[in-house]
Amino acid sequence: SYGLDWRRDRLIRLLLDPDDTGIVTGFIAPEIILNSTGLFGQAELKLGALRLSGGLRNEWYRGRIGDELAGLGLSGEGTPGRLAPASLLLANLGAVWSVADDVQLFASFNQGAELTQLGRAARRATDPSIISPEPARSDQYEVGVRGRAGAVDFTLAGFYSRSAAASLLQPDPTCAGESFCPLIPLRVPQRVWGAEATARWQASKQLAVGGLFTWQRGEIFDEDFGRFIPFGADTVSPTRVTAYADWAPVETVSARLQATWVAAANFFTPAEQAFGFINTPSNFLVDVSAGWQLGPGELTVGASNLFNRRYEYTTLAAGGFTPALAQGRQVSIGYRLKLR
């Protein structure tokens, strides 16, 4: 398969007077226009039990800071003009080998790209030609096995992802102390790796039990420390184990009980914690749900965080770590109508 595509994006984000929202007081992002053209090809080849796939995609970017509301002296205004041109080549490769009727080995390499925050980069820009719309490219590798052994379905996979210049954000240092201080683009090396395993056993026609194991770690280069430091729980998942049981005693009734244990995320050293990074404690959560076929539809009942556990998680806000209280018990009742 092959193809050609073209896309045009236009963005403008304004600051408004809180007393009169019809008055524009400044820009979060001045008008920016980006045109992108992509040419791609993808192929697949089957050699007995081995299936190979691969492809290439090349993208070309042309953009400019527009003149919408320009020249009015508004805060955050950017100088209209063309951005620097950019292009990007991405590749992907994959292989699946059926070693038995119910077992497959697989491996893949994929390149992805993220193009964000051009509007923020254009804020207060005096020379548009030095702004490059080149996306932040990343490389992903994955290997694994999947299949069935008797009544058990299983998967096991490991992955590694890296980027020499991931697209992130930091507070604008030129607006320190102001009531509104937007975020600006930041390009930083980072890498993430991990493994995941799943299993599901169909114990009987009415009962199935299964589980999921997830392990992730990651690092990002920190200029203040001058080295790579771990990602926190806001970016990578702490070690997580989930077990569940699906029960359908009769054809019209089904239920699920699920328990999840999340390990403590002790990623940071005392020195890093003093700098504002936060370790998170472990927690244990239980969810339940059930469904009954009733009339032309299904009545559903569910509860997440059944025991109303109080725990915190961390988010990134204003460039720093912020603890936030997680949601307590949530009960839902619904009816899904099936139209034939």
Side-chain angles (χ1 to χ4, degrees), residues 247 253-256 288-292 298-303 332 334 336:
W247 183 48
V253 177
S254 63
R256 167 174 279 213
V288 296
S289 62
W292 292 268
E298 182 182 29
L299 177 67
T300 61
V301 178
S332 61
R336 293 185 296 194

Side-chain angles (χ1 to χ4, degrees), residues 288-317:
V288 296
S289 62
W292 292 268
Q293 298 293 328
L294 186 62
E298 182 182 29
L299 177 67
T300 61
V301 178
S304 60
N305 193 0
L306 179 65
F307 299 122
N308 203 27
R309 291 290 300 270
R310 181 184 177 92
Y311 68 99
E312 294 181 348
Y313 64 96
T314 59
T315 60
L316 278 177

Side-chain angles (χ1 to χ4, degrees), residues 3 7 15 30 54 71 81 97 99 170 183 212 218 273 290 295:
R7 173 175 172 146
L15 283 171
W97 180 29
V99 295
Q170 66 177 350
L183 301 173
L212 167 67
Q273 292 180 66

